Amino acid sequence: MLTFVALASVLLLGIVPEQTEAIAIYTGWERHALLGSDIRLSCSFFSWRLTSDDVTFSWTYRPDGSRDSISIFHYTSGQAYVDNKGPFRDRVEFVGNPGKRDGSILIKNLDYNDNGTFTCDAKNPPDIVGRPSSVRLLVFETVPIQAGVITGAIIGVVLGLLVLIVVIYYLMRFLVARRVFSLSVSKHGKKKREGSQARQGPAPTADPTKIKV
């Protein structure tokens, strides 16, 4: 009985430790950018909890062909800490809004050496368990046409051809039906005229003996 009372008191006082829930982090999958341009790398998260004042965002970078990652940005306690020694020195800017669960960064003056994988991790205490999300950056002199654009163009052309074929089909049907109707009306009128002449009989011929000289 005493044990039950003790547990009830704990629950009523709300001193049971809060359970940690999973947090889902989202970034893009792959980004293309022009040499010398700037690019925004987005990072957001979903959590069942309200946005904590202790929310944190961390970005790391792993160059293509490398197994090691380096830290390039960290946000915690309302302060943004940017790498000031590595390859992104003076080129990373925090453009997110932690209150809206946005931990996006801006990378300026892109170079070919920036090609690689950028990984974002977020914590929204007490929700701190989640898998970081990664986005791959590819820098080009001219941005290539993505496969999705080509696929969309092909689908558009095919749909356009199908619509054109359907229009031509119904137009031909209309013209044929109109021609058949015209021929039917013409034949019906001709038969009607022939029937009328048959009922009237041949015109009487004049008697030559009654012709006055």
Side-chain angles (χ1 to χ4, degrees):
M1 183 65 180
L2 292 175
T3 303
F4 174 77
V5 173
L7 290 175
S9 301
V10 169
L11 292 175
L12 290 174
L13 292 174
I15 59 176
V16 175
E18 296 185 22
Q19 292 183 350
T20 300
E21 296 183 3
I23 183 174
I25 305 168
Y26 307 98
T27 62
W29 178 66
E30 184 173 282
R31 297 295 307 275
H32 295 170
L34 289 173
L35 179 68
S37 67
D38 302 343
I39 191 168
R40 178 190 178 109
L41 299 180
S42 299
C43 177
S44 60
F45 69 85
F46 172 80
S47 171
W48 289 106
R49 308 278 183 175
L50 295 176
T51 305
S52 171
D53 293 336
D54 298 324
V55 64
T56 65
F57 292 97
S58 298
W59 281 91
T60 60
Y61 165 70
R62 179 173 57 81
D64 283 346
S66 174
R67 296 183 179 180
D68 299 326
S69 297
I70 60 173
S71 176
I72 62 173
F73 175 82
H74 185 69
Y75 176 92
T76 184
S77 301
Q79 297 293 325
Y81 300 91
V82 182
D83 169 42
N84 57 5
K85 295 181 180 179
F88 298 98
R89 181 177 61 254
D90 300 327
R91 293 197 296 133
V92 176
E93 179 183 348
F94 182 57
V95 292
N97 186 339
K100 295 184 178 180
R101 305 184 174 189
D102 181 3
S104 303
I105 59 174
L106 182 72
I107 300 180
K108 305 175 182 179
N109 192 24
L110 292 173
D111 187 77
Y112 291 125
N113 294 328
D114 297 335
N115 287 333
T117 302
F118 294 79
T119 301
C120 177
D121 192 13
K123 309 293 183 185
N124 185 41
D127 292 352
I128 59 174
V129 179
R131 177 179 297 178
S133 182
S134 298
V135 55
R136 189 176 182 217
L137 174 64
L138 297 175
V139 180
F140 297 93
E141 186 174 356
T142 57
V143 177
I145 299 177
Q146 298 183 9
V149 176
I150 298 176
T151 303
I154 294 174
I155 294 175
V157 171
V158 172
L159 291 177
L161 290 176
L162 290 176
V163 171
L164 181 61
I165 292 172
V166 171
V167 171
I168 293 174
Y169 170 74
Y170 280 102
L171 179 61
M172 293 299 296
R173 285 191 60 180
F174 171 76
L175 294 176
V176 170
R178 184 177 179 182
R179 178 64 177 171
V180 171
F181 177 75
S182 299
L183 291 175
S184 177
V185 171
S186 178
K187 290 181 180 179
H188 181 71
K190 184 177 180 181
K191 289 182 179 179
K192 187 175 181 180
R193 288 194 300 271
E194 291 177 350
S196 177
Q197 292 177 359
R199 287 195 298 272
Q200 292 177 359
T205 57
D207 187 356
T209 59
K210 296 181 179 181
I211 300 176
K212 295 180 180 181
V213 179

